[in-house]
Amino acid sequence: MSENIHKSHNVSRLMYHFVFPTKYRRVVIDEEVDNVIKDTCIEISKRYEVEFLEIGTDKGHVHFLVQSVPNYSPSQIVKIIKSITAKEVFARCPEVKKKLWGGKFWSSGYYVATVSEHGNEGVIANYVKNQGNEYKKLFRSEGVEGQITLFDK
């Protein structure tokens, strides 16, 4: 489960859902490749501030639920994961390289979405929209409603 990451100047809980298709969407992820990817991700989390919360593999793509810090952009996280896992898969499973002409394991594209600990887009949008409402109600009850029209817009 994710937790807040405390740094000297910030506290964050940034989670991403990534999906990486294999090159040409070839069916190359078997049990052995799955284990290599998961083992490599454990090593990545030791060297980088990238924590893998879940990894789900299918025959032609992999889903990652990742938590990281604000220092890394999603594209930097993608580069780290793709480059290191591809190198390890080709080194430990050389037969995979024969199935993927061109020497690349991953497709150049990927899917990324942010993941919230508190809910979906509608819940967060409503939460943000209603910030300060308890203060608006307090001001109205004290008869100073005119002073808060700026917040009502």
Side-chain angles (χ1 to χ4, degrees):
M1 198 68 185
S2 66
E3 295 182 10
N4 287 340
I5 297 174
H6 296 265
K7 295 298 197 179
S8 59
H9 296 286
N10 65 57
V11 177
S12 65
R13 187 180 299 202
L14 297 175
M15 293 177 283
Y16 304 98
H17 173 206
F18 292 107
V19 181
F20 300 166
T22 58
K23 189 71 173 174
Y24 313 113
R25 300 195 185 272
R26 298 289 299 241
V27 176
V28 294
I29 301 174
D30 57 15
E31 188 175 342
E32 182 182 9
V33 173
D34 174 66
N35 289 331
V36 170
I37 291 170
K38 290 177 180 175
D39 292 344
T40 304
C41 289
I42 291 169
E43 294 303 314
I44 290 171
S45 65
K46 291 177 184 176
R47 294 188 346 221
Y48 298 91
E49 292 181 292
V50 175
E51 186 68 31
F52 294 86
L53 304 175
E54 293 290 337
I55 302 171
T57 59
D58 199 351
K59 296 173 183 172
H61 65 278
V62 181
H63 291 258
F64 298 94
L65 179 59
V66 174
Q67 181 177 8
S68 190
V69 292
N71 303 34
Y72 294 135
S73 69
S75 63
Q76 287 174 308
I77 297 169
V78 168
K79 286 179 188 176
I80 290 167
I81 297 170
K82 280 186 169 185
S83 63
I84 297 172
T85 55
K87 182 179 176 183
E88 282 300 308
V89 167
F90 285 157
R92 293 170 50 184
C93 306
E95 69 280 359
V96 172
K97 196 167 190 171
K98 293 174 187 171
K99 295 178 184 177
L100 297 170
W101 61 94
K104 298 202 186 272
F105 182 76
W106 298 112
S107 169
S108 59
Y110 61 90
Y111 168 83
V112 61
T114 55
V115 178
S116 172
E117 66 178 310
H118 295 293
N120 61 29
E121 181 180 355
V123 172
I124 300 299
N126 194 42
Y127 174 76
V128 170
K129 178 181 172 184
N130 289 306
Q131 285 299 295
N133 277 345
E134 66 269 12
Y135 299 109
K136 292 176 193 175
K137 291 174 189 170
L138 176 67
F139 287 138
R140 284 190 183 113
S141 67
E142 293 178 359
V144 289
E145 186 174 341
Q147 295 179 8
I148 60 161
T149 55
L150 199 83
F151 297 110
D152 290 336
K153 293 182 180 178

